[in-house]
Amino acid sequence: MNFQPSEEEALLREAASRWAAERAAAPGDPASRWSEMAAFGWLGMTLPGADGEAPALGLVEAAALVECLGPAALPDPLIPAIHEAGALIAAGEGPARARWLGGIADGSALVVPAFFDAAGAGAFRATRIGTGWRLAGTKRPVPSGARAAAWLVEAREETGAPRYFVVPRECAGVSVRAFAAIDGGEAAELVFRDARVEADAELAGLSPERVDTVRAAAVLLACAEAVGAMQAMLAATTEYTRTRTQFGKPLAANQVLRHRMADMRIALEEARALTAMAVRELSAPTSALARAALVAATRAKVAGAARRLAEEAIQLHGGMGVTDELNLGRYLRRMLALDALHGSAETHLRRLADLPGDRFAEAAARRFPELAAFRAEVRAFLEESLTPELVRAARLVTSVFPDPDIGLRWHRKLFARGWVAPAWPVEYGGTGWSYAQRWIFETESSLAGAPALSPLGLRMAGPVIMRFGTPEQKAHYLPRLLSGDDYWCQGYSEPGSGSDLASLATRAVRDGDHYVINGSKIWTTHAHHANRMFALVRTGDATVKKHEGISFLLIDMKTPGITVRPIKSASGDHEVNQVFFDDVRVPVSCRLGEEGQGWTIAKYLLEFERGGAITSGRLYTALDRVRRLVDGGDGGTPRVLTADDALAFAAVEVDIRALEATELSVMSTLAVGQNPGSVSSLLKLRWSEIHQSITRLGLRLLGPDVLAFEPERPLYLHAQGGVLDDVARPVVAAYLNARAYTIFGGTSEIQREIIAREWVG
């Protein structure tokens, strides 16, 4: 999925952003703004021409336009008039289409939708009278209804079927009451009392599918506008906190405030990526269920994020934030207007919760249709190679990745197929796949239930050896890493050095052709299985800056003087250890890079640890496993799914979709050779938080059965026969183990600080 703007889109963004900045400073009156937008061609760019020629641009460009107009927070009815009323009139048939479409496109005729029934959905009625129709009921609110030339009215006939009429303003029997709108514009209430229209006022040929698609597009465009407003609010807040001082320091120097702004930035990036993905998906054919889920999830995420960001921006501006001296209140009011017209976060979350089926698998299958043959090849391999035993073992893993008796079995099957290192360059044994192919492979593997591989070798040791290793080191380590003959652990953290890794004290003293190492490492995952460790050690003296006196060593775990002490987690898992070094002699030839270059290498490696994986598929699989608790899973006890439970599942699904969209956006950026920035911290932060949310859902559904705990590990080596079935058995341990997800690889606080440094300053 390509998120990069086309040349037309880039030019449109530039022009729209410039005009929005001018109008933010000097809004002018609504009629003049509308005329200017018409003169730019913005009103008609997505509508067919008078002679039936195809629209010049599509939904992607429309979303780009409204996003760029978002910072101006204009109350103009661009979305309702053009992308709802205009789009439906363009899709219809009959004299009404011919009469109004040209004027809508050139700005001479403002037609707005009148869809909201003041007395409740379906209360507005249409009754056939001779060759015409009688309309009765009240419509409220109608955006810009008092100055419109006509209204596109939705009514229900006696059978309950919807009918659509373009009712001109001069129609007898219609009274109009204008009122001020929350966003600074105006709206109206229309009361139809025995209002009669001729048959030619009806807009014929509108299928329910077409109406639903048009309304879905309007909702996504509202999301795009919110994204533009979010960007402006965050920029204003960042600038304010940089220049406003308290207690002699800029507000941006306060870590608490910086981290709040980091969360604002994360919300913006997720909203932007999810909206871009949804707009592109809706531009292609899709099923009604997939469309409904796509729109509900996107609006739920973006509407909620936009409102929270506006509230945070006001809070961080202090007293000025709640006044009309600044634009922040204006932005919040505009977000409320979008909620009123296109649905709030709560409304759309409920819609998503009420939808049936496995929506992710269907959505994933539609990604990258040009690679359908490759997807089929991956699925065929997974079906042939994944045994029920491996799938069951993967389901019962309660730690971050399985023990090597499972992980390495799958590793070696992938190695035999040549697919074990998709991200590696071809010259080192990689597949040569595109980013899209890698996404398909990782996602399909997750959906099929394949075990996760240890990232310590393939994703961490391998890339740094390729980047910093000598030819001899590459020739020795990389083939063994690919084949699984070497199994790696990481020697970073120490009892006194966790997040402050540069304070590490394990020392390596040069003695001829060897380093002599003394000290210890802790939280060393799978050190009891590994035969290799990559480790940071201090080689500089006390006068050297702590970041500069660190070197990176590749250590054989069988070297005399190494002792591994197991540490059992609160979950009952043994995955971490403390490793002691007592006069351990490591050849200098096992140093990676130059002496003192360890910190540079470590930072390079952390980018792979924090953001190198495609995790959305595994999160969906984990969520689906928890959902299986509802129907009883493998012969277990069914559990009741309450309305609140359904909302909780929907909320996690929304978060996963946003993470998936962010991953795809990053892939698109990397594919054109651009640097996505500190997004690896964003991905690690959100992946770990979402994973924890999934495990909390498991506890919620398990109820009193949380009391039952199975201490044996690993669970897959123990046959079923206890109190709980295979679906329920790992839930409690997985929850307890997941407490570490926001700690290892850099705590969530560290990730927020990294994001704040780059994006907040």
Side-chain angles (χ1 to χ4, degrees):
M1 181 172 289
N2 182 14
F3 285 69
Q4 303 307 306
S6 64
E7 183 177 352
E8 292 85 354
E9 182 185 338
L11 292 172
L12 178 63
R13 283 181 174 274
E14 181 181 354
S17 296
R18 185 168 55 249
W19 184 81
E22 294 171 356
R23 287 294 157 264
D29 65 274
S32 64
R33 292 197 302 267
W34 200 251
S35 296
E36 289 177 7
M37 286 191 275
F40 294 144
W42 294 346
L43 303 185
M45 70 183 195
T46 59
L47 300 176
D51 297 327
E53 62 266 28
L57 298 172
L59 183 60
V60 171
E61 291 77 17
L65 172 64
V66 296
E67 179 186 330
C68 292
L69 298 182
L74 299 173
D76 302 321
L78 182 61
I79 297 173
I82 303 304
H83 301 288
E84 282 187 294
L88 286 172
I89 290 172
E93 301 170 354
R97 182 185 190 277
R99 177 181 176 183
W100 296 102
L101 187 58
I104 293 172
D106 65 20
S108 61
L110 178 62
V111 181
V112 294
F115 290 160
F116 298 104
D117 293 354
F124 194 96
R125 311 301 294 183
T127 305
R128 189 176 290 277
I129 302 293
T131 60
W133 295 86
R134 181 174 62 200
L135 305 179
T138 302
K139 293 290 186 179
R140 187 185 69 240
V142 180
S144 300
R147 65 184 183 92
W151 311 288
L152 177 60
V153 177
E154 181 184 65
R156 299 280 171 173
E157 60 175 323
E158 290 182 1
T159 63
R163 297 274 182 170
Y164 296 88
F165 302 90
V166 184
V167 180
R169 181 183 180 83
E170 61 270 15
C171 178
V174 183
S175 63
V176 181
R177 183 174 68 173
F179 56 87
I182 186 68
D183 58 358
E186 59 89 11
E189 177 185 73
L190 309 181
V191 180
F192 289 71
R193 295 186 180 92
D194 197 28
R196 302 193 180 201
V197 295
E198 296 301 321
D200 61 4
E202 183 178 5
L203 188 64
L206 284 179
S207 67
E209 172 83 6
R210 184 57 187 161
V211 172
D212 184 63
T213 300
V214 168
R215 290 187 171 181
V219 172
L220 295 185
L221 291 176
C223 292
E225 182 183 339
V227 167
M230 290 171 71
Q231 182 169 331
M233 288 186 282
L234 179 57
T237 305
T238 301
E239 180 62 23
Y240 179 79
T241 57
R242 286 172 178 168
T243 56
R244 179 75 163 92
T245 59
Q246 289 277 13
F247 307 108
K249 293 183 179 180
L251 290 176
N254 184 304
Q255 189 178 70
V256 173
L257 303 186
R258 290 164 56 79
H259 287 194
R260 288 174 72 168
M261 285 188 286
D263 284 335
M264 293 166 70
R265 184 71 198 206
I266 292 167
L268 169 60
E269 293 304 315
E270 287 188 323
R272 191 202 311 275
L274 186 54
T275 301
M277 183 180 77
V279 164
R280 283 157 176 77
E281 282 201 11
L282 195 66
S283 299
T286 184
S287 70
L289 175 61
R291 179 172 61 249
L294 176 73
V295 172
T298 304
R299 184 64 191 155
K301 167 60 78 171
V302 178
R307 189 189 298 180
R308 286 193 300 273
L309 195 147
E311 293 167 350
E312 281 288 273
I314 290 172
Q315 178 70 25
L316 293 180
H317 275 79
M320 291 295 292
V322 297
T323 70
D324 270 343
E325 298 291 318
L326 303 178
N327 282 333
L328 298 174
R330 182 179 165 199
Y331 285 124
L332 180 56
R333 293 194 298 270
R334 181 60 183 164
M335 296 306 100
L336 295 179
L338 292 177
D339 281 359
L341 295 176
H342 304 286
S344 66
E346 296 79 9
T347 298
H348 283 279
L349 191 64
R350 168 54 65 195
R351 289 175 182 171
L352 183 65
D354 290 341
L355 292 175
D358 179 4
R359 297 178 290 272
F360 176 72
E362 180 186 353
R366 293 197 312 273
R367 303 275 189 271
F368 310 109
E370 71 278 9
L371 295 173
F374 175 75
R375 186 187 303 276
E377 181 184 4
V378 170
R379 287 180 173 179
F381 166 75
L382 293 169
E383 185 175 354
E384 176 186 353
S385 304
L386 267 178
T387 64
E389 179 189 9
L390 280 174
V391 173
R392 176 179 179 270
R395 283 203 311 265
L396 291 173
V397 167
T398 56
S399 55
V400 63
F401 49 85
D403 288 347
D405 60 328
I406 293 297
L408 277 179
R409 284 169 61 187
W410 183 235
H411 179 120
R412 291 187 173 113
K413 288 192 177 193
L414 292 172
F415 174 68
R417 187 68 171 81
W419 288 359
V420 76
W424 283 25
V426 173
E427 60 267 31
Y428 294 122
T431 58
W433 289 344
S434 66
Y435 287 104
Q437 287 174 303
R438 285 158 53 183
W439 188 90
I440 288 173
F441 173 72
E442 293 289 349
T443 302
E444 291 293 338
S445 296
S446 300
L447 294 176
L453 302 183
S454 168
L456 298 167
L458 292 170
R459 281 178 42 208
M460 297 166 68
V464 295
I465 291 172
M466 291 179 216
R467 173 68 176 80
F468 297 98
T470 65
E472 294 77 16
Q473 287 171 332
K474 295 175 186 178
H476 176 75
Y477 291 111
L478 295 180
R480 295 177 56 82
L481 207 160
L482 278 177
S483 66
D485 291 338
D486 280 348
Y487 193 80
W488 290 79
C489 62
Q490 179 189 55
Y492 273 22
S493 296
E494 297 182 4
S497 300
S499 296
D500 183 16
L501 186 57
S503 67
L504 63 88
T506 296
R507 180 165 294 278
V509 177
R510 183 75 176 261
D511 182 19
D513 293 334
H514 287 76
Y515 286 107
V516 180
I517 306 175
N518 285 280
S520 75
K521 298 291 180 179
I522 201 167
W523 319 129
T524 315
T525 304
H526 283 199
H528 55 304
H529 296 304
N531 66 326
R532 301 283 180 189
M533 173 191 282
F534 56 89
L536 292 177
V537 296
R538 187 161 300 283
T539 51
D541 59 38
T543 63
V544 177
K545 293 182 179 179
K546 63 180 184 179
H547 291 84
E548 297 175 359
I550 296 172
S551 297
F552 196 102
L553 298 184
L554 308 176
I555 301 171
D556 186 339
M557 290 292 287
K558 296 180 181 178
T559 306
I562 295 178
T563 303
V564 178
R565 180 181 73 84
I567 300 175
K568 198 171 186 179
S569 301
S571 62
D573 294 293
H574 173 204
E575 57 181 341
V576 297
N577 308 270
Q578 184 169 9
V579 181
F580 297 92
F581 299 88
D582 297 304
D583 291 331
V584 175
R585 298 182 65 85
V586 174
V588 173
S589 61
C590 292
R591 185 189 69 218
L592 197 66
E594 300 298 325
E595 187 168 292
Q597 197 182 7
W599 191 250
T600 298
I601 299 173
K603 289 193 297 182
Y604 179 83
L605 184 148
L606 281 172
E607 292 301 305
F608 291 93
E609 180 181 9
R610 292 171 178 167
I614 298 167
T615 60
S616 53
R618 293 206 174 274
L619 289 173
Y620 272 112
T621 300
L623 183 63
D624 184 63
R625 289 172 184 164
V626 171
R627 191 179 279 115
R628 292 181 64 204
L629 287 166
V630 177
D631 58 22
D634 296 339
T637 304
R639 292 168 171 84
V640 175
L641 184 70
T642 67
D644 287 344
D645 293 335
L647 281 176
F649 271 103
V652 175
E653 180 182 337
V654 167
D655 284 342
I656 299 174
R657 282 177 178 262
L659 180 67
E660 176 198 19
T662 307
E663 289 177 344
L664 290 168
S665 177
V666 170
M667 283 171 41
S668 180
T669 301
L670 292 171
V672 295
Q674 297 177 3
N675 183 354
S678 61
V679 74
S680 60
S681 289
L682 186 158
L683 293 174
K684 193 275 175 182
L685 174 67
R686 293 300 292 135
W687 165 80
S688 58
E689 291 176 342
I690 295 168
H691 189 98
Q692 289 181 341
S693 297
I694 294 171
T695 64
R696 284 193 290 269
L697 272 178
L699 290 186
R700 178 174 181 160
L701 289 181
L702 211 56
D705 279 341
V706 166
L707 191 63
F709 186 73
E710 196 167 338
E712 293 85 0
R713 293 291 185 279
L715 287 177
Y716 53 78
L717 291 182
H718 301 278
Q720 184 176 343
V723 174
L724 303 179
D725 65 285
D726 265 7
V727 176
R729 289 170 70 198
V731 169
V732 174
Y735 163 80
L736 292 169
N737 187 278
R739 298 308 94 205
Y741 283 38
T742 48
I743 298 173
F744 67 64
T747 66
S748 293
E749 291 73 22
I750 292 296
Q751 308 307 333
R752 285 184 169 87
E753 183 61 20
I754 292 171
I755 293 168
R757 286 178 182 175
E758 177 172 338
W759 283 329
V760 178

